[in-house]
Amino acid sequence: MNLHESQRMQTDVWLTPPWIVNELGPFDLDPCAPLQRPWDTARKHYTINDNGLLSPWEGRVWLNPPYNKEAVKWLRLMKRHKNGTALIFARTETKWFFETVWGTAYGVLFLKGRLNFYTCKGEEAKHSAGAPSVLVAYSKYDAERLRDSSIEGAFLGLI
Ligand SMILES: C[S@@+](CC[C@H](N)C(=O)[O-])C[C@H]1O[C@@H](n2cnc3c(N)ncnc32)[C@H](O)[C@@H]1O
């Protein structure tokens, strides 16, 4: 990948608001981190150059997957890994939500309002996201952290 290509791709990237990771961390791995990140989201990061879909996942994972048709692949890996928390759009009716959240996750926290994501320069988006978001816990510990967090929303224990 050349520099121009990587810069163009990074303009489409929307990062997790840092207060969410600060509240729920620490995490051991972010398997899909930006090439230039304004802050750490985990102890270890994979970027597109590492391909986090193919690299080994270890420890407690923070997952805010790329918003494209590959998103379900990341959620399938999380379902198999069973250790960590994901931030995704609350598309509760979809086939992929049924496959990778309902009947799989330990708990979910539906966020109040809509999030303002951040750019790779660390700037908050001027507009909120086009859909509501949900945090998904893939272990008992992650569900407890969601339940006990100060993040505004509605927690639902699933297992
Ligand atoms: C929605 S952003 C989330 C970034 C970060 N995880 C966070 O929570 O702020 C998704 C990121 O995945 C990266 N990405 C896309 N495909 C990837 C791949 N195959 N391996 C690793 N990272 C990838 C993109 O560059 C982008 O930075």
Side-chain angles (χ1 to χ4, degrees):
M1 189 187 330
N2 62 38
L3 183 63
H4 174 72
E5 190 182 0
S6 70
Q7 283 171 342
R8 183 171 51 74
M9 286 173 66
Q10 295 301 297
T11 61
D12 296 332
V13 166
W14 290 107
L15 307 184
T16 303
W19 54 267
I20 294 185
V21 174
N22 291 343
E23 174 71 22
L24 299 175
F27 292 94
D28 297 309
L29 174 70
D30 182 341
C32 47
L35 287 167
Q36 293 105 27
R37 60 175 185 274
W39 44 68
D40 287 347
T41 44
R43 185 176 49 78
K44 183 173 179 177
H45 304 81
Y46 293 144
T47 69
I48 196 156
N49 291 340
D50 308 303
N51 195 354
L53 283 169
L54 297 179
S55 299
W57 287 25
E58 57 201 40
R60 188 169 178 239
V61 168
W62 169 254
L63 180 69
N64 171 3
Y67 303 125
N68 55 32
K69 59 180 176 355
E70 301 238 296
V72 68
K73 291 188 186 172
W74 295 92
L75 292 168
R76 282 182 187 139
L77 287 180
M78 195 61 158
K79 176 178 175 173
R80 200 185 316 153
H81 186 66
K82 293 183 172 49
N83 185 6
T85 299
L87 173 66
I88 55 177
F89 285 129
R91 296 293 309 278
T92 55
E93 84 288 13
T94 57
K95 204 171 151 188
W96 58 263
F97 205 98
F98 271 79
E99 180 190 335
T100 61
V101 180
W102 299 131
T104 297
Y106 279 73
V108 285
L109 175 63
F110 289 95
L111 297 176
K112 185 176 178 189
R114 290 190 186 188
L115 289 175
N116 283 39
F117 288 94
Y118 280 68
T119 67
C120 287
K121 289 184 177 159
E123 292 160 351
E124 187 177 0
K126 291 187 178 63
H127 302 288
S128 54
S133 296
V134 61
L135 288 157
V136 185
Y138 285 88
S139 74
K140 185 168 178 283
Y141 174 75
D142 285 280
E144 287 166 359
R145 291 293 305 273
L146 284 187
R147 184 196 62 201
D148 299 341
S149 82
S150 61
I151 297 173
E152 280 192 286
F155 175 78
L156 185 63
L158 296 177
I159 294 181

